[in-house]
Amino acid sequence: MEQRARLAARVAEQHLALALPRRWRHVRAVAAKAERLAPLVGDDGDLLAAAAWLHDVGYAPDIVDTGFHSLDGARWLLGQRFELRLAALVAHHSCASYEADERGLGEALMAEFPREQSVVSDALWFADMTTGPDGQDLSAEDRLAEIRVRYGPNDLVSRFWQKAEPALMEAIRRTEVRMAAQPM
């Protein structure tokens, strides 16, 4: 693990391990998966790992502001002097723009953080959305089903995933194609 990812791991642990142990199990597994995907992203492997460690830091009770974890985490990261690209990956991870729209925060998200569409963002989405809440490996379909059961059919989270699923599945498929083309 390189320097940026080591720092991200320490920061994530500090804010999530004790306060949100289940979320911490998920984050650790997402980061481990992202580190295995690093060969897909070349020189950005450390960035991918750091984004995976920090993708859910906005859930930490001492970081929550708007209640939208992607935006809260990204804003906090900028305030802690993390680089904009890393914060933007956190801000937009796993179809966050759809949730932002549901929460009335879409314009703020887009104005503050550029959305990156890249091998790195696809790999981050893949690592997150193929990892269950306790760190277990799941297919993206099973992960979405788990989310819908956990939140219920009328929750904002279930509503945004209904809209976001096609975009998520495209990112998952792109990553799977890259994984097949480059054995790891």
Side-chain angles (χ1 to χ4, degrees):
M1 192 177 349
E2 294 184 39
Q3 182 176 354
R4 181 174 21 194
R6 279 194 302 276
L7 172 61
R10 284 194 307 272
V11 167
E13 182 175 19
Q14 177 185 5
H15 291 278
L16 296 171
L18 292 177
L20 301 168
R22 188 175 197 206
R23 180 71 52 191
W24 178 236
R25 286 192 298 274
H26 167 76
V27 166
R28 285 187 320 205
V30 170
K33 192 173 286 185
E35 289 170 6
R36 290 191 302 274
L37 293 171
L40 298 180
V41 302
D43 292 341
D44 284 332
D46 189 43
L47 174 66
L48 171 61
W53 279 112
L54 295 168
H55 80 282
D56 278 350
V57 75
Y59 281 117
D62 58 333
I63 295 173
V64 171
D65 180 34
T66 67
F68 175 37
H69 80 282
S70 299
L71 184 59
D72 291 347
R75 285 174 170 171
W76 183 84
L77 289 169
L78 282 184
Q80 299 299 306
R81 302 200 187 283
F82 281 86
E83 67 188 276
L84 177 60
R85 185 174 179 208
L86 174 59
L89 285 165
V90 168
H92 288 283
H93 80 274
S94 302
C95 296
S97 64
Y98 292 86
E99 184 174 357
D101 289 342
E102 285 287 322
R103 293 180 179 276
L105 295 168
E107 288 182 21
L109 179 69
M110 296 306 289
E112 294 177 41
F113 298 99
R115 180 165 179 239
E116 178 174 324
Q117 294 178 296
S118 68
V119 176
V120 176
S121 64
D122 283 356
L124 177 60
W125 292 21
F126 178 91
D128 182 27
M129 295 306 297
T130 61
T131 305
D134 294 303
Q136 69 273 42
D137 280 327
L138 296 174
S139 69
E141 294 85 359
D142 287 345
R143 176 75 161 121
L144 288 171
E146 176 277 320
I147 289 169
R148 289 180 178 119
V149 167
R150 185 164 27 115
Y151 285 93
N154 298 320
D155 190 86
L156 176 144
V157 173
S158 295
R159 287 194 317 266
F160 100 73
W161 276 117
Q162 182 72 27
K163 296 172 187 169
E165 186 171 352
L168 171 71
M169 296 312 294
E170 288 176 20
I172 297 294
R173 280 191 276 284
R174 287 190 300 265
T175 300
E176 289 171 341
V177 167
R178 291 176 185 119
M179 290 166 63
Q182 183 174 344
M184 296 178 286

